[in-house]
Amino acid sequence: MTSTVNGRSSHPRPRPHPRRRPRPRSAPVRPGPAPPTIGSGPAFAWLLVVTGLLGGLASFVITLDKFRLLEDLGYVPSCNLSPVVSCADVMRSEQASVLGFPNPLLGLATYAAVVAIGVGLLAGARHRRWFWLALNAGTLAGAAFCMWLMSQALYVIGALCLWCVLAWAATVLMFWYTTVHNLRHGVLRAPRGLVSGVQEFHWAVPAVWLGGIGMLIATRWWPFWQSLL
């Protein structure tokens, strides 16, 4: 039955069917962002270039003198200045070929690599965290090796090689400022206070370190140095 109310039909209106919402399409899986890369300022890049060149120069001269000593046992290197400052005594020692070949050959390769890294940074190269950690570990190993050679020269061989001292100083600076760079950019995790202190007083560690080497050299042959005055 139908009825009219005020002239309008009272038939119930059919309910509209609910519309089915389209299923959302799964978004395509995109690869995550690449790991961040880190560059450096020109100051650190130039430090790597200069210290690498100095270390390479020292290694090159020592290598030439080593080969000349092998050819002529009576050869006197140019850095033989006294009974104390005697590169020949150091070059003839077992410690000068601790890895089975002359140590400066290793220096020629590693210092050249550091120069190449520095030049790349000057050109705008950026590297991932693992690269900076590897550089830090390599320079740490180099600094530790130099300190071992220093102890052998001072207290076992009993002679000093000035070209070796140059390589020691270059490696110490190389290691320390690589560490400072990595702390500044978060490659090495450390408290903020430590990082701030290292950045502000970055000169303190190499000054104490190199000063300590100088003091050891001075005290080891103090009577000889006094005789020169």
Side-chain angles (χ1 to χ4, degrees):
M1 294 178 66
T2 61
S3 62
T4 59
V5 179
N6 297 329
R8 295 180 181 179
S9 174
S10 62
H11 280 294
R13 296 181 180 179
R15 296 180 180 179
H17 294 285
R19 295 181 181 180
R20 293 183 180 180
R21 296 180 180 179
R23 295 181 180 179
R25 298 180 181 179
S26 58
V29 178
R30 297 180 180 179
T37 56
I38 300 170
S40 79
F44 175 65
W46 274 114
L47 182 134
L48 290 181
V49 171
V50 172
T51 54
L53 288 175
L54 292 176
L57 173 64
S59 299
F60 179 73
V61 174
I62 297 172
T63 300
L64 287 182
D65 286 343
K66 177 69 174 180
F67 288 151
R68 289 169 180 167
L69 277 173
L70 293 175
E71 295 173 353
D72 180 8
L73 295 179
Y75 173 74
V76 179
S78 59
C79 57
N80 267 35
L81 304 179
S82 69
V84 170
V85 183
S86 176
C87 294
D89 291 341
V90 176
M91 294 175 188
R92 292 191 183 103
S93 66
E94 294 180 357
Q95 292 87 340
S97 302
V98 67
L99 299 178
F101 56 87
N103 296 340
L105 293 179
L106 179 63
L108 285 174
T110 53
Y111 290 126
V114 171
V115 172
I117 292 171
V119 172
L121 292 172
L122 287 173
R126 299 175 64 86
H127 303 289
R128 295 185 180 179
R129 181 171 181 263
W130 65 264
F131 181 92
W132 291 109
L133 290 175
L135 180 61
N136 221 155
T139 54
L140 172 60
F145 186 52
C146 286
M147 294 302 96
W148 179 80
L149 291 174
M150 181 198 70
S151 68
Q152 296 298 300
L154 268 61
Y155 304 109
V156 179
I157 303 170
L160 189 65
C161 169
L162 293 181
W163 289 112
C164 298
V165 175
L166 176 61
W168 302 343
T171 307
V172 166
L173 293 174
M174 192 183 298
F175 159 69
W176 173 245
Y177 280 101
T178 299
T179 303
V180 172
H181 171 275
N182 286 346
L183 286 171
R184 178 183 295 120
H185 292 279
V187 177
L188 295 175
R189 270 74 172 189
R192 290 185 179 180
L194 176 61
V195 175
S196 299
V198 166
Q199 291 183 8
E200 186 172 358
F201 301 102
H202 58 86
W203 50 268
V205 169
V208 172
W209 195 337
L210 297 179
I213 293 175
M215 289 296 295
L216 290 175
I217 293 174
T219 55
R220 174 64 178 85
W221 293 289
W222 186 247
F224 173 76
W225 305 127
Q226 282 185 315
S227 67
L228 299 178
L229 301 178

